[in-house]
Amino acid sequence: MAIDKQQVTFSPVAYRLDHRSGVPSYLQLVQQVEQALRLGLLGPDDQLPTVKEMVELLAINPNTVMKAYRELEHRGLASGRPGQGTFIKAKLQRVSGAEQAALAQRLAAWMRDAAAAGLDDQGITAMVGAVLRDLHQYSDGASA
Amino acid sequence: MTALEARAVSKRYRRVWALRDCNLAIPAGRVTALVGPNGAGKTTLLHLAAGLRRATAGSIRVLDGLVPGSADALPGVGFVAQDATLYRRMSVAGMLHMAQNLNPVWDGAYAVRRIGELGIPLNARVGGLSGGHQAQLALAIALAKRPRLLLLDEPLARLDPLARHEFLGVLMAAVAADGISVIFSSHVLAELERICDYLVLLSRSHVQLAGQIDAVLAGHQVLTGPPDQVPNLPATLAPIRIAQAGAQVHLLVRVNGRRQPIPSGFTAQPTALEELVLAYLGEPSATALPGPELAAPTGSTR
């Protein structure tokens, strides 16, 4: 049944949610759209599934999908067209190779500090996850 | 716009109070989870809202001030009972025919389409359908009357995981398309977080906690730290539950909406719905403390 429904929508992307990942559902949808943009599965003027299609497929609260689409708009990746739906607006701004290398270098320096302070790999991973969650929570609170 | 408003509602069955002094103001357009242990009063509250029973004291209103069970309220309120009450000896088509004649508004095309999508033959006998199909049939009939408020009593209890997913998918599609309000009771905590945006927690016949789930979660934190520091915590942090081991203590605390400084020696983590509900259910006395959005009568907000 779920496969049939997937074919009814014209979406080229098969959206899915991992409820054990700890990543909020709306953010998982945002990440999957971004991933599809990176892979070229979605491009400018492609329509995202309607809220109704998405909630029927995933059995989630409509607010979650609306929040994901608002976040995509906020990131400049999609835009809502009244009465039509939500459409992809832009190609994903990719981080340049040089920029990525510079960021990785700073992260590596921090990780050496953390290891020197006595944190093991799992401790470092846990801390990165916790800080990332705090950041998201803080930005959620600010935008709500 | 309120879907359900209760003011000082009590309900007594002979000598037993099923509900005591319940105040609620559930906004329209929400998907509300009604949670609580067995015997907490969930079914009674749904029956009062559907107009199947009368409150012993207090007043309950649905859809902006309508009396449950009145001629004005009935077409707007759909109710699916715990055992998805259907006439087992009837055919599916007969069931639809009867529903059409009992309801002033009836979207027969919707009902037939839904039943077709489920692969249920119209000439099948209702009693011969699987539990999942019976639940889906009851939901299709309830939605075909195009209600503005849908009340569901333990709709997920009899469904296997796939049927549960499809049931909730159909329900959420109806919410997305028509903006209907849904109130459903459930013990399946894991599913609530992604389906519901409003929480009502009943415990020992009282409303223990009610509010928008985002706000409720933001209003609580888990603090982890050394047990000997607990007496030094500020009184404004009201711990709901304390879980203590030798050298470490976890406190679920209410931060009352404000971001408070984390006490020294403690780390703060956000809480999840399941953890929060379990903590409150485990501490029925936490009722005495005002919740972040403990529902108060809101006659003036309209």
Side-chain angles (χ1 to χ4, degrees):
Chain A
M1 278 310 245
I3 293 161
D4 292 343
K5 278 182 199 160
Q6 186 78 58
Q7 286 168 345
V8 171
T9 68
F10 41 82
S11 167
V13 182
Y15 297 93
R16 58 179 288 276
L17 291 178
D18 178 357
H19 296 292
R20 287 164 175 268
S21 69
V23 180
S25 300
Y26 88 95
L27 214 52
Q28 292 189 37
L29 293 178
V30 169
Q31 288 166 354
Q32 283 169 38
V33 171
E34 283 183 347
Q35 185 72 12
L37 282 167
R38 269 190 214 103
L39 295 172
L41 294 174
L42 286 174
D45 291 324
D46 281 347
Q47 188 176 5
L48 296 172
T50 64
V51 173
K52 183 173 177 248
E53 286 168 341
M54 197 75 121
V55 301
E56 184 155 11
L57 182 71
L58 298 172
I60 53 173
N61 191 288
N63 289 333
T64 307
V65 182
M66 289 190 263
K67 193 171 175 185
Y69 285 4
R70 271 202 308 275
E71 179 63 29
L72 287 168
E73 287 183 32
H74 182 71
R75 295 186 185 188
L77 298 176
S79 65
R81 297 181 193 166
Q84 293 183 58
T86 304
F87 292 80
I88 295 296
K89 194 163 99 185
K91 286 186 177 157
L92 194 65
Q93 278 293 328
R94 297 176 86 160
V95 181
S96 74
E99 221 170 332
Q100 274 191 33
L103 286 167
Q105 222 168 19
R106 281 163 63 193
L107 186 60
W110 176 85
M111 282 178 177
R112 275 193 294 273
D113 288 350
L119 275 182
D120 62 4
D121 286 2
Q122 281 183 336
I124 289 172
T125 311
M127 188 172 278
V128 169
V131 172
L132 207 56
R133 264 201 309 277
D134 279 359
L135 275 179
H136 286 314
Q137 249 209 337
Y138 187 73
S139 63
D140 285 354
S143 66
Chain B
M1 295 262 286
T2 53
L4 176 75
E5 186 166 7
R7 294 189 191 204
V9 166
S10 298
K11 172 67 185 172
R12 189 179 60 192
Y13 300 113
R14 295 175 188 272
R15 259 172 292 171
V16 181
W17 289 94
L19 287 175
R20 283 308 278 271
D21 206 24
C22 291
N23 290 299
L24 282 172
I26 301 178
R30 302 282 175 179
V31 182
T32 301
L34 188 55
V35 178
N38 293 323
K42 302 187 294 291
T43 298
T44 298
L45 183 62
L46 291 173
H47 281 185
L48 292 178
L52 292 170
R53 294 180 190 278
R54 287 246 182 96
T56 312
S59 81
I60 187 156
R61 296 288 181 270
V62 291
L63 299 170
D64 285 328
L66 301 180
V67 177
S70 67
D72 290 335
L74 277 177
V77 180
F79 174 67
V80 178
Q82 203 154 359
D83 41 10
T85 318
L86 298 163
Y87 290 92
R88 299 175 56 81
R89 300 176 70 91
M90 268 191 189
S91 69
V92 173
M95 200 67 220
L96 294 185
H97 182 71
M98 189 179 74
Q100 176 175 15
N101 285 292
L102 287 175
N103 288 289
V105 179
W106 179 254
D107 187 344
Y110 172 85
V112 170
R113 193 177 70 241
R114 273 301 301 145
I115 285 157
E117 280 169 6
L118 291 160
I120 302 175
L122 281 171
N123 60 359
R125 238 170 51 144
V126 171
L129 299 177
S130 68
H133 275 169
Q134 286 188 22
Q136 287 280 17
L137 175 60
L139 179 66
I141 290 170
L143 286 175
K145 78 178 256 180
R146 294 278 165 224
R148 288 188 289 142
L149 170 62
L150 184 58
L151 307 166
L152 304 166
D153 197 359
E154 292 282 351
L156 307 177
R158 299 186 309 157
L159 303 183
D160 65 47
L162 179 62
R164 198 174 275 176
H165 185 91
E166 292 192 337
F167 184 97
L168 291 173
V170 170
L171 189 60
M172 291 302 107
V175 172
D178 304 326
I180 62 173
S181 310
V182 178
I183 302 176
F184 76 91
S185 63
S186 179
H187 289 300
V188 189
L189 291 180
E191 237 119 31
L192 298 182
E193 195 153 8
R194 52 184 226 256
I195 296 300
C196 301
D197 45 23
Y198 201 91
L199 175 72
V200 174
L201 217 139
L202 284 179
S203 181
R204 296 184 185 170
S205 327
H206 289 84
V207 176
Q208 197 179 7
L209 184 71
Q212 208 179 312
I213 288 177
D214 284 352
V216 169
L217 290 178
H220 291 77
Q221 272 184 342
V222 176
L223 296 181
T224 303
D228 56 339
Q229 289 297 310
V230 172
N232 301 333
L233 287 174
T236 48
L237 291 172
I240 311 303
R241 191 187 52 174
I242 301 175
Q244 187 166 345
Q248 203 185 36
V249 64
H250 296 293
L251 304 166
L252 179 70
V253 298
R254 195 160 45 231
V255 290
N256 294 324
R258 272 192 304 278
R259 197 165 269 267
Q260 302 204 4
I262 297 161
S264 65
F266 284 84
T267 56
Q269 293 271 328
T271 184
L273 187 62
E274 191 166 356
E275 181 181 47
L276 181 104
V277 167
L278 287 174
Y280 269 91
L281 291 183
E283 297 292 337
S285 59
T287 317
L289 307 162
E293 256 188 60
L294 195 59
T298 55
S300 56
T301 58
R302 252 184 261 143

Coordinates of all heavy atoms in Angstrom, one line a residue, chain B residues 49-98:
Chain B
A49 N -18.2 14.9 25.6 CA -18.0 15.8 24.4 C -18.9 15.4 23.2 O -19.3 16.2 22.4 CB -16.5 15.8 24.0
A50 N -19.1 14.0 23.1 CA -19.9 13.5 22.0 C -21.4 13.7 22.4 O -22.3 13.5 21.5 CB -19.6 12.1 21.8
G51 N -21.7 14.0 23.6 CA -23.2 14.1 24.0 C -23.8 12.8 24.4 O -25.0 12.7 24.4
L52 N -23.0 11.8 24.6 CA -23.5 10.5 24.9 C -23.9 10.4 26.4 O -24.6 9.6 26.9 CB -22.5 9.4 24.6 CG -22.3 9.1 23.1 CD1 -21.1 8.2 22.9 CD2 -23.5 8.6 22.5
R53 N -23.2 11.3 27.2 CA -23.5 11.3 28.7 C -23.6 12.8 29.0 O -23.0 13.7 28.4 CB -22.4 10.6 29.5 CG -22.4 9.1 29.3 CD -21.3 8.5 30.1 NE -21.0 7.2 29.8 CZ -21.7 6.1 30.2 NH1 -22.8 6.4 31.0 NH2 -21.5 4.9 29.8
R54 N -24.2 13.1 30.2 CA -24.3 14.4 30.7 C -23.4 14.6 31.9 O -23.3 13.7 32.7 CB -25.8 14.7 31.2 CG -26.7 14.9 30.0 CD -27.2 16.4 30.0 NE -28.2 16.6 28.9 CZ -29.5 16.5 29.1 NH1 -30.0 16.2 30.3 NH2 -30.3 16.7 28.1
A55 N -22.8 15.7 32.0 CA -21.9 16.0 33.2 C -22.8 16.1 34.4 O -23.9 16.6 34.4 CB -21.2 17.3 33.0
T56 N -22.3 15.7 35.6 CA -23.0 15.8 36.8 C -22.9 17.3 37.3 O -23.9 17.8 37.9 CB -22.3 14.9 37.9 OG1 -22.1 13.6 37.4 CG2 -23.1 14.8 39.2
A57 N -21.8 17.9 37.0 CA -21.7 19.4 37.4 C -20.8 20.0 36.4 O -20.0 19.4 35.7 CB -21.1 19.5 38.8
G58 N -20.9 21.3 36.2 CA -20.0 22.1 35.3 C -20.6 22.1 33.9 O -21.7 21.5 33.7
S59 N -19.9 22.8 33.0 CA -20.4 22.8 31.7 C -19.4 22.4 30.7 O -18.2 22.7 30.8 CB -21.0 24.2 31.3 OG -19.9 25.1 31.0
I60 N -19.8 21.7 29.6 CA -18.9 21.3 28.6 C -19.5 21.8 27.2 O -20.7 21.7 27.0 CB -18.6 19.8 28.6 CG1 -17.5 19.4 27.6 CG2 -19.9 19.0 28.4 CD1 -16.8 18.1 28.0
R61 N -18.6 22.4 26.4 CA -19.1 22.9 25.1 C -18.1 22.5 24.0 O -17.0 22.4 24.2 CB -19.1 24.5 25.1 CG -20.1 25.1 26.1 CD -21.6 24.9 25.7 NE -22.5 25.4 26.6 CZ -23.1 24.8 27.6 NH1 -22.7 23.5 27.9 NH2 -24.0 25.4 28.4
V62 N -18.7 22.3 22.8 CA -17.9 21.9 21.7 C -18.1 23.0 20.6 O -19.1 23.7 20.5 CB -18.2 20.5 21.1 CG1 -17.8 19.4 22.1 CG2 -19.7 20.4 20.8
L63 N -17.1 23.1 19.7 CA -17.2 24.0 18.5 C -17.7 25.3 18.8 O -18.8 25.7 18.3 CB -18.0 23.2 17.4 CG -17.5 21.9 17.0 CD1 -18.5 21.2 16.1 CD2 -16.2 22.1 16.2
D64 N -17.0 26.0 19.7 CA -17.4 27.4 20.0 C -18.8 27.5 20.7 O -19.6 28.3 20.2 CB -17.3 28.3 18.8 CG -15.9 28.7 18.4 OD1 -15.1 28.7 19.3 OD2 -15.7 28.8 17.2
G65 N -19.0 26.8 21.7 CA -20.1 27.1 22.6 C -21.3 26.3 22.3 O -22.4 26.5 22.9
L66 N -21.2 25.2 21.5 CA -22.4 24.4 21.3 C -22.5 23.3 22.4 O -21.5 22.8 22.9 CB -22.3 23.7 19.9 CG -22.2 24.6 18.7 CD1 -22.1 23.8 17.4 CD2 -23.3 25.6 18.6
V67 N -23.8 23.0 22.7 CA -24.0 22.0 23.8 C -23.9 20.6 23.1 O -24.5 20.3 22.1 CB -25.5 22.1 24.3 CG1 -25.8 21.0 25.3 CG2 -25.6 23.5 25.0
P68 N -23.0 19.7 23.7 CA -22.8 18.4 23.1 C -24.1 17.7 23.0 O -24.9 17.7 23.9 CB -21.9 17.7 24.0 CG -21.2 18.8 24.7 CD -22.1 19.9 24.8
G69 N -24.4 17.0 21.8 CA -25.6 16.2 21.7 C -26.8 17.1 21.2 O -27.8 16.5 20.8
S70 N -26.6 18.4 21.1 CA -27.7 19.2 20.6 C -27.8 19.1 19.1 O -26.9 18.7 18.5 CB -27.5 20.7 21.1 OG -26.4 21.2 20.4
A71 N -28.9 19.6 18.6 CA -29.1 19.5 17.1 C -28.1 20.3 16.4 O -27.7 19.9 15.3 CB -30.6 20.0 16.8
D72 N -27.6 21.4 17.0 CA -26.6 22.2 16.3 C -25.2 21.5 16.3 O -24.5 21.6 15.4 CB -26.4 23.5 17.1 CG -27.6 24.4 16.9 OD1 -28.3 24.2 15.8 OD2 -27.8 25.3 17.7
A73 N -25.0 20.8 17.4 CA -23.6 20.2 17.6 C -23.5 18.8 16.9 O -22.4 18.5 16.3 CB -23.3 20.0 19.1
L74 N -24.6 18.1 16.8 CA -24.4 16.7 16.3 C -23.8 16.6 14.9 O -22.9 15.7 14.7 CB -25.8 16.0 16.4 CG -26.2 15.4 17.7 CD1 -27.6 14.8 17.7 CD2 -25.2 14.3 18.1
P75 N -24.3 17.4 13.9 CA -23.7 17.2 12.6 C -22.2 17.5 12.5 O -21.5 17.0 11.7 CB -24.4 18.2 11.7 CG -25.6 18.6 12.5 CD -25.3 18.4 13.9
G76 N -21.7 18.4 13.5 CA -20.3 18.8 13.4 C -19.4 17.9 14.2 O -18.1 18.1 14.1
V77 N -19.9 17.0 14.9 CA -19.0 16.1 15.8 C -19.1 14.7 15.4 O -20.2 14.1 15.3 CB -19.5 16.3 17.3 CG1 -18.6 15.4 18.2 CG2 -19.4 17.7 17.7
G78 N -18.0 14.1 15.1 CA -17.9 12.7 14.8 C -17.3 11.9 16.0 O -16.4 12.5 16.6
F79 N -17.7 10.7 16.2 CA -17.2 10.0 17.3 C -17.1 8.5 16.9 O -18.0 7.9 16.4 CB -18.2 10.1 18.5 CG -17.9 9.2 19.7 CD1 -16.7 9.5 20.4 CD2 -18.7 8.1 20.0 CE1 -16.4 8.7 21.5 CE2 -18.3 7.3 21.1 CZ -17.2 7.6 21.9
V80 N -15.9 8.0 17.2 CA -15.7 6.6 17.0 C -15.3 5.9 18.3 O -14.3 6.3 19.0 CB -14.5 6.3 16.0 CG1 -14.3 4.8 15.8 CG2 -14.8 6.9 14.6
A81 N -16.2 5.0 18.8 CA -16.0 4.4 20.1 C -14.9 3.4 20.1 O -14.4 3.0 19.0 CB -17.3 3.7 20.5
Q82 N -14.5 3.0 21.3 CA -13.3 2.2 21.5 C -13.3 0.9 20.7 O -12.4 0.5 20.1 CB -13.3 1.8 23.0 CG -12.0 1.4 23.5 CD -11.9 1.7 25.0 OE1 -12.8 2.1 25.6 NE2 -10.7 1.4 25.5
D83 N -14.5 0.3 20.6 CA -14.6 -1.0 19.8 C -15.1 -0.7 18.4 O -15.7 -1.6 17.8 CB -15.4 -2.0 20.5 CG -16.7 -1.4 21.2 OD1 -16.9 -0.2 20.8 OD2 -17.4 -2.0 21.9
A84 N -15.0 0.6 17.9 CA -15.5 0.9 16.6 C -16.9 0.3 16.3 O -17.0 -0.5 15.4 CB -14.5 0.5 15.5
T85 N -17.8 0.8 17.1 CA -19.2 0.2 17.0 C -19.8 0.2 15.6 O -20.0 1.2 15.1 CB -20.1 0.9 18.0 OG1 -19.4 1.2 19.2 CG2 -21.3 0.1 18.3
L86 N -19.9 -1.0 15.1 CA -20.5 -1.2 13.8 C -21.5 -2.3 13.9 O -21.5 -3.1 14.8 CB -19.4 -1.6 12.7 CG -18.3 -0.6 12.5 CD1 -17.1 -1.3 11.8 CD2 -18.8 0.6 11.7
Y87 N -22.4 -2.4 12.9 CA -23.4 -3.5 12.9 C -22.8 -4.7 12.2 O -22.6 -4.7 11.0 CB -24.7 -3.0 12.3 CG -25.4 -2.0 13.2 CD1 -25.2 -0.7 13.0 CD2 -26.2 -2.5 14.2 CE1 -25.8 0.2 13.9 CE2 -26.9 -1.6 15.0 CZ -26.6 -0.3 14.9 OH -27.2 0.6 15.7
R88 N -22.4 -5.7 12.9 CA -21.6 -6.7 12.4 C -22.3 -7.6 11.4 O -21.7 -8.2 10.5 CB -21.1 -7.7 13.6 CG -20.3 -6.9 14.6 CD -19.9 -7.8 15.8 NE -19.3 -9.1 15.3 CZ -18.0 -9.2 15.0 NH1 -17.2 -8.1 15.1 NH2 -17.5 -10.3 14.6
R89 N -23.6 -7.6 11.5 CA -24.3 -8.5 10.5 C -24.6 -7.8 9.2 O -25.1 -8.4 8.2 CB -25.6 -9.0 11.2 CG -25.4 -9.8 12.4 CD -26.7 -10.2 13.1 NE -27.4 -11.1 12.3 CZ -27.3 -12.5 12.5 NH1 -26.5 -12.9 13.4 NH2 -28.0 -13.3 11.8
M90 N -24.4 -6.5 9.2 CA -24.7 -5.7 8.0 C -23.6 -5.9 6.9 O -22.4 -6.2 7.3 CB -24.8 -4.2 8.3 CG -26.2 -3.8 8.6 SD -26.2 -2.0 8.7 CE -27.8 -1.7 9.3
S91 N -23.9 -5.6 5.7 CA -22.8 -5.5 4.7 C -22.2 -4.1 4.8 O -22.8 -3.2 5.4 CB -23.4 -5.7 3.3 OG -24.2 -4.6 2.9
V92 N -21.0 -4.0 4.2 CA -20.4 -2.7 4.2 C -21.3 -1.6 3.5 O -21.5 -0.5 4.0 CB -19.0 -2.7 3.5 CG1 -18.4 -1.4 3.3 CG2 -18.1 -3.6 4.3
A93 N -21.9 -2.0 2.3 CA -22.8 -1.1 1.6 C -24.0 -0.7 2.5 O -24.4 0.4 2.5 CB -23.3 -1.8 0.3
G94 N -24.5 -1.7 3.2 CA -25.7 -1.4 4.1 C -25.3 -0.5 5.2 O -26.1 0.4 5.5
M95 N -24.1 -0.6 5.7 CA -23.6 0.3 6.8 C -23.5 1.7 6.2 O -23.9 2.7 6.9 CB -22.2 -0.3 7.1 CG -21.6 0.2 8.5 SD -22.5 -0.4 9.9 CE -22.4 1.1 10.9
L96 N -23.0 1.8 5.0 CA -22.9 3.2 4.4 C -24.3 3.8 4.1 O -24.5 5.0 4.3 CB -22.1 3.1 3.0 CG -20.6 2.7 3.1 CD1 -20.0 2.8 1.7 CD2 -19.9 3.6 4.1
H97 N -25.2 2.9 3.7 CA -26.5 3.4 3.4 C -27.2 3.9 4.6 O -27.8 5.0 4.6 CB -27.4 2.2 2.8 CG -28.8 2.6 2.4 ND1 -29.0 3.4 1.3 CD2 -29.9 2.3 3.0 CE1 -30.3 3.6 1.2 NE2 -30.9 2.9 2.2
M98 N -27.0 3.2 5.7 CA -27.6 3.6 7.0 C -27.0 5.0 7.4 O -27.7 5.9 7.9 CB -27.4 2.6 8.1 CG -28.1 2.9 9.3 SD -27.9 1.6 10.6 CE -26.3 2.0 11.1

